[in-house]
Amino acid sequence: QTCALPISAPDPQSHTANMSETKVYGAIEEGDSMGMTMSATQKAQVKDFAPFASEFAGTFLLCITVGLCAGIVEGFAPLAIGSALMVSIFMGGHISGAHHNPAVTLAVVMAGKMKTGMFNMGPVGCALGYVAAQVLASLCAGLVAYLISKDMGEDMGKPEMSPKATWASAMLVEIIFTFYLALVVLNVATTRANEGNSFYGLAIGFLVFVAASAGGDVSGGAFNPAVGTGLTLMSGVKDSIDDIWIYWIGPMVGAFLASLFFNFTVHED
């Protein structure tokens, strides 16, 4: 079962259909775009690896934006972060589904919308592969952000709980806004009712802008375990590292609740 991307499937009789597979959420086009001739086995391997590579690339862009904007250039950080997520979704949505967030991946799996079949894996195996790619990307982006920030004599950006906030307040903020993030993703990017729309990336990106603006000064505004892990670890700040658990438990609980709400309110079968 795959997650339906808001892109219409081509007519099987058209020239496009002869050059590519049906476009579905998480599928890639099989063409000779680089003028390379590949065997059927090589094409299958590339197709299987592509979603994980896309998750890495999109998560890296999101995390490097957080690491630099929230550290060196703070003024418009929420807008830049939401915009980075928006463009990465438009970039990779047709390849992997553009989760770029372990919490979103959890919600997609729980809603039964996870892309499957890569390397003959089921939903759980593919989801774990996505999470591994996302966390690895966050670590790499964190390292790059750290090196650039150090070179400029600045502190790198990272999720950081306000000293005025308790862990309960920070956790609640992470749960609430990740709930809405996952719910928006599930409704605008996976339902047949919204299939073919061109606004899904905008909706998701603007939700992150809202969440970072409203909750960033409380919890640090991760809403994403990958962001809360890679950037925090690479910063080397002990107080922030001690708070990583908040950026896993909060977003995962919010995503889980969003999947329950989605399954309760959306009935397409």
Side-chain angles (χ1 to χ4, degrees), residues 69 73-78:
C69 283
V73 184
E74 297 182 355
F76 294 94

Side-chain angles (χ1 to χ4, degrees), residues 6 10 16 19 37 51 66 71 102 105 124 145 147 150 164-165 194 197 213 224 227 231 239 241 258:
T16 303
M19 296 297 296
T37 302
V66 174
T105 298
V124 174
L147 293 174
K150 183 179 180 180
K164 298 179 181 179
N194 279 322
N197 76 74
S213 298
N224 183 334
V227 170
L231 296 176
D239 289 344
I241 293 174

Side-chain angles (χ1 to χ4, degrees), residues 53-121:
S54 181
E55 284 298 305
F56 180 94
T59 308
F60 185 95
L61 173 60
L62 173 62
C63 291
I64 195 68
T65 303
V66 174
L68 295 179
C69 283
I72 299 174
V73 184
E74 297 182 355
F76 294 94
L79 181 59
I81 294 165
S83 299
L85 181 60
M86 176 190 70
V87 298
S88 70
I89 289 170
F90 283 124
M91 173 186 72
H94 65 291
I95 302 172
S96 68
H99 299 182
H100 309 328
N101 184 333
V104 169
T105 298
L106 174 64
V108 171
V109 171
M110 294 295 298
K113 301 289 186 175
M114 184 68 199
K115 173 178 170 58
T116 61
M118 292 86 78
F119 301 105
N120 296 316
M121 294 189 294

Side-chain angles (χ1 to χ4, degrees), residues 31-205:
D32 200 16
S33 58
M34 295 191 301
M36 297 170 58
T37 302
M38 294 188 293
S39 68
T41 300
Q42 290 174 322
K43 286 183 178 180
Q45 290 173 341
V46 170
K47 182 179 178 181
D48 283 346
F49 184 73
F52 304 110
S54 181
E55 284 298 305
F56 180 94
T59 308
F60 185 95
L61 173 60
L62 173 62
C63 291
I64 195 68
T65 303
V66 174
L68 295 179
C69 283
I72 299 174
V73 184
E74 297 182 355
F76 294 94
L79 181 59
I81 294 165
S83 299
L85 181 60
M86 176 190 70
V87 298
S88 70
I89 289 170
F90 283 124
M91 173 186 72
H94 65 291
I95 302 172
S96 68
H99 299 182
H100 309 328
N101 184 333
V104 169
T105 298
L106 174 64
V108 171
V109 171
M110 294 295 298
K113 301 289 186 175
M114 184 68 199
K115 173 178 170 58
T116 61
M118 292 86 78
F119 301 105
N120 296 316
M121 294 189 294
V124 174
C126 292
L128 290 175
Y130 272 35
V131 172
Q134 293 156 2
V135 173
L136 178 60
S138 74
L139 291 168
C140 294
L143 177 59
V144 174
Y146 172 78
L147 293 174
I148 293 173
S149 300
K150 183 179 180 180
D151 184 60
M152 297 184 65
E154 302 282 350
D155 293 329
M156 66 175 284
K158 60 191 178 300
E160 190 170 9
M161 193 174 77
S162 169
K164 298 179 181 179
T166 64
W167 70 264
S169 295
M171 181 76 72
L172 189 58
V173 166
E174 291 291 314
I175 291 173
I176 289 171
F177 285 107
T178 309
F179 170 86
Y180 283 104
L181 171 61
L183 192 60
V184 167
V185 170
L186 291 174
N187 276 283
V188 304
T190 75
T191 58
R192 287 196 295 271
N194 279 322
E195 186 176 0
N197 76 74
S198 58
F199 58 75
Y200 62 103
L202 285 168
I204 298 166

